[in-house]
């Protein structure tokens, strides 16, 4: 059978550079966990003190992101058994392979992101979930680094990279 694999660009680049000053690299993620239920119990089981919202910047390698009032995404948190936790009324799902993470930075990273979304650091939101050109993503800042981190479903990686490398 003929090998046509060279006809398509890789969907997960080691380092993607477009015509803009934007650098995209895979995020250093060990584990992702969705925790749904009462916020205080979710933060306690995930060993995180708070859940960051937009445009707050995550300060530690282990952190939680607010997705809805009753759902957080725990980044690099402890191993928590999947399933229903009756005592805390929490549902826990390992999302490590359900999302692909990228770190983005550059001199006009906000300008590039605004071409495909309407993010505004001066307009806070309780959620880190946004739409980029019709693609749902989770976006937040990494404190002190000038970087943004973005999570997307693996099926949408190629489309997202296409948007970012304009």
């Amino acid at each position: 059978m003929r090998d046509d694999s060279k006809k398509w660009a890789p969907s997960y680049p080691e380092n993607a550079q477009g015509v803009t000053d934007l650098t995209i690299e895979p995020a250093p993620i060990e584990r992702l966990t969705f925790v749904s239920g009462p916020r205080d119990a979710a933060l306690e089981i995930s060993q995180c003190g708070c859940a960051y919202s937009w445009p707050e910047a995550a300060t530690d390698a282990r952190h939680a992101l607010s997705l809805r009032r009753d759902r957080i995404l725990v980044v690099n948190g402890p191993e928590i058994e999947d399933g229903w936790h009756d005592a805390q009324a929490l549902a826990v799902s390992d999302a490590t392979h359900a999302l692909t993470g990228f770190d983005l930075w550059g001199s006009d990273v906000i300008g590039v992101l605004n071409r495909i979304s309407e993010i505004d650091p001066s307009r806070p939101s309780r959620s880190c979930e946004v739409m980029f050109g019709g693609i749902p993503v989770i976006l937040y800042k990494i404190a002190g680094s000038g970087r943004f981190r973005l999570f997307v479903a693996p099926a949408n990686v190629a489309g997202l990279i296409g948007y970012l490398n304009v």
Side-chain angles (χ1 to χ4, degrees):
M1 182 170 207
R2 183 175 67 191
D3 180 9
D4 287 337
S5 63
K6 304 280 188 259
K7 291 184 178 182
W8 294 279
S11 62
Y12 194 92
E14 287 300 313
N15 183 19
Q17 285 279 23
V19 295
T20 61
D21 176 27
L22 180 71
T23 301
I24 306 167
E25 289 185 346
I29 302 301
E30 295 173 20
R31 179 180 303 107
L32 296 172
T33 310
F34 286 121
V35 183
S36 300
R39 178 65 59 103
D40 290 342
L43 291 172
E44 184 178 327
I45 200 171
S46 67
Q47 300 174 12
C48 294
C50 68
Y52 295 102
S53 301
W54 175 259
E56 297 170 331
T59 57
D60 299 316
R62 171 186 293 175
H63 50 273
L65 306 172
S66 181
L67 303 181
R68 293 192 296 269
R69 65 182 173 84
D70 63 346
R71 189 169 213 199
I72 62 174
L73 175 66
V74 181
V75 179
N76 294 329
E79 276 193 50
I80 306 170
E81 185 179 344
D82 277 0
W84 180 251
H85 293 245
D86 199 39
Q88 298 97 343
L90 294 173
V92 176
S93 301
D94 182 353
T96 305
H97 301 291
L99 298 170
T100 300
F102 295 101
D103 283 354
L104 317 169
W105 73 95
S107 61
D108 189 31
V109 66
I110 290 289
V112 173
L113 295 175
N114 274 324
R115 281 189 232 156
I116 50 178
S117 183
E118 292 185 13
I119 64 163
D120 182 352
S122 67
R123 282 191 359 229
S125 170
R126 299 260 322 184
S127 176
C128 291
E129 290 183 301
V130 296
M131 295 294 281
F132 276 4
I135 298 173
V137 301
I138 299 168
L139 176 72
Y140 64 105
K141 294 192 287 187
I142 304 296
S145 68
R147 292 179 180 225
F148 287 81
R149 183 162 293 157
L150 184 146
F151 292 108
V152 63
N156 293 324
V157 168
L160 179 74
I161 296 297
Y163 279 134
L164 292 173
N165 280 307
V166 234

